[in-house]
Amino acid sequence: MELQSAIYNEWRHVFKLDPEREISDERLDAICMSGTDAIIVGGSSGVTFDNTVDLMSRIRRYEVPCALEVSNEEAAVPGFDHYFIPLVLNTDKAEWLAGRQIQALRKFGAFIPWENTSAEGYLILNEEAQAAKLTGARAALDSETVAAHIYMADRLMHLPVIYMEYSGKFGDMELVKRALRLVTGARLFYGGGIDDAAKARQAAAAAHTVIVGNVIYDDLEAALSTVEAVLAVELPK
Ligand SMILES: CC(C)=CCC/C(C)=C/CC/C(C)=C/CC/C(C)=C/CC/C(C)=C/CC/C(C)=C/CC/C(C)=C/COP(=O)(O)OP(=O)(O)O
Ligand SMILES: O=P(O)(O)OC[C@@H](O)CO
Ligand SMILES: [Mg+2]
């Protein structure tokens, strides 16, 4: 049902907006009109029903597709084009793999638009990231262990999306390229530390989908420069 037809399979460049952070109408206009393929709304902390509804309704003035990455059950807001449910693969704390998600499914299971909802297998690879600290992720993984996680997520679990997450730090592109060579069905998302066009190009050569977050709030012009940079690079494999 999902894999080939899911909207995110067309996405090369995505901006991630955090409901916890302020963004002016002018900046939001620039992001939504930038030519990016989509916007993901998500954050690892401080995401509430109210700040998510508020951001969604502002983005909805534009045509750009908009997905919600649901990071807690209070922030499950109807009206998005797509929903991503993160499962952290490299943690020993089962609550972040299939604990909190199960609790949320007990509540929302019957109301979930399943055709527009996908699991995201997260590999959190920056020890300093807020998401790593929150979930107790074992972020310092060698190449063989990353490969083993990719086999598990792609070949055993058949997850539709694998997200190599370096939030706040530019990652090891050789590791990402190796993961790309290993995936057979999953879409490989990369995010973390992209703050200029050169890094965006490197990431676009290493992953199917490139996600740009924090630089939106730090340097809007640099953020906007990543769109053309990514879209100019041919899709790997
Ligand atoms: C009709 C209706 C209500 C529709 C919606 C239905 C729907 C789809 C419901 C979803 C139900 C469900 C199963 C919800 C799951 C909720 C849940 C508890 C998920 C757990 C997610 C998880 C593992 C969170 C841990 C943190 C994490 C991996 C977050 C992902 C996002 C991320 C890493 C953002 C980056 O964070 P940021 O704050 O920007 O970090 P920096 O500080 O480093 O920048
Ligand atoms: O904020 P940055 O470091 O760009 O990372 C983007 C995204 O992967 C965060 O979940
Ligand atoms: Mg962030």
Side-chain angles (χ1 to χ4, degrees):
M1 172 180 70
E2 183 170 342
L3 290 172
Q4 294 312 314
S5 61
I7 53 171
Y8 56 78
N9 281 319
E10 305 300 321
W11 299 348
R12 282 286 279 149
H13 181 282
V14 173
F15 278 126
K16 188 183 279 192
L17 290 173
D18 188 339
E20 195 189 20
R21 300 184 76 169
E22 298 268 319
I23 185 164
S24 68
D25 285 342
E26 292 70 27
R27 281 173 168 248
L28 188 64
D29 181 76
I31 291 297
C32 292
M33 298 299 287
S34 63
T36 186
D37 293 312
I39 291 177
I40 292 179
V41 170
S44 57
S45 65
V47 181
T48 66
F49 190 87
D50 288 348
N51 61 23
T52 303
V53 169
D54 180 62
L55 186 54
M56 181 188 74
S57 54
R58 292 173 68 204
I59 296 167
R60 281 302 195 206
R61 297 175 193 149
Y62 302 88
E63 287 182 3
V64 64
C66 185
L68 177 64
E69 190 170 51
V70 194
S71 55
N72 70 70
E73 66 174 57
E74 290 75 39
V77 169
F80 283 88
D81 296 312
H82 202 86
Y83 294 91
F84 292 109
I85 311 297
L87 320 175
V88 180
L89 303 174
N90 57 328
T91 177
D92 297 329
K93 297 185 178 174
E95 68 174 299
W96 298 107
L97 172 64
R100 292 177 180 238
Q101 298 84 349
I102 297 287
Q103 285 309 314
L105 290 170
R106 281 167 56 95
K107 190 164 156 189
F108 292 104
F111 309 106
I112 290 182
W114 291 109
E115 65 287 2
N116 300 322
T117 301
S118 310
E120 262 180 335
Y122 256 80
L123 261 181
I124 304 178
L125 296 164
N126 172 13
E127 288 170 294
E128 300 306 319
Q130 206 170 315
K133 291 179 179 159
L134 177 71
T135 63
R138 289 176 286 99
L141 300 182
D142 62 24
S143 181
E144 292 315 312
T145 310
V146 169
H149 280 80
I150 300 294
Y151 285 132
M152 184 181 74
D154 178 76
R155 315 246 179 135
L156 294 179
M157 299 170 84
H158 298 285
L159 294 178
V161 176
I162 299 174
Y163 193 137
M164 294 182 76
E165 172 67 286
Y166 283 88
S167 185
K169 169 183 159 189
F170 191 60
D172 178 344
M173 289 302 117
E174 289 311 311
L175 214 51
V176 182
K177 281 183 185 162
R178 181 166 185 204
L180 183 72
R181 289 194 294 272
L182 295 178
V183 294
T184 54
R187 181 91 181 166
L188 186 67
F189 286 11
Y190 170 81
I194 296 174
D195 56 10
D196 61 24
K199 293 192 186 86
R201 269 191 292 276
Q202 288 182 57
H208 294 128
T209 301
V210 174
I211 299 174
V212 177
N214 289 339
V215 71
I216 297 166
Y217 303 93
D218 301 337
D219 183 346
L220 181 64
E221 288 311 312
L224 295 172
S225 77
T226 65
V227 177
E228 204 184 311
V230 168
L231 298 183
V233 177
E234 205 174 320
L235 178 73
K237 139 175 161 181

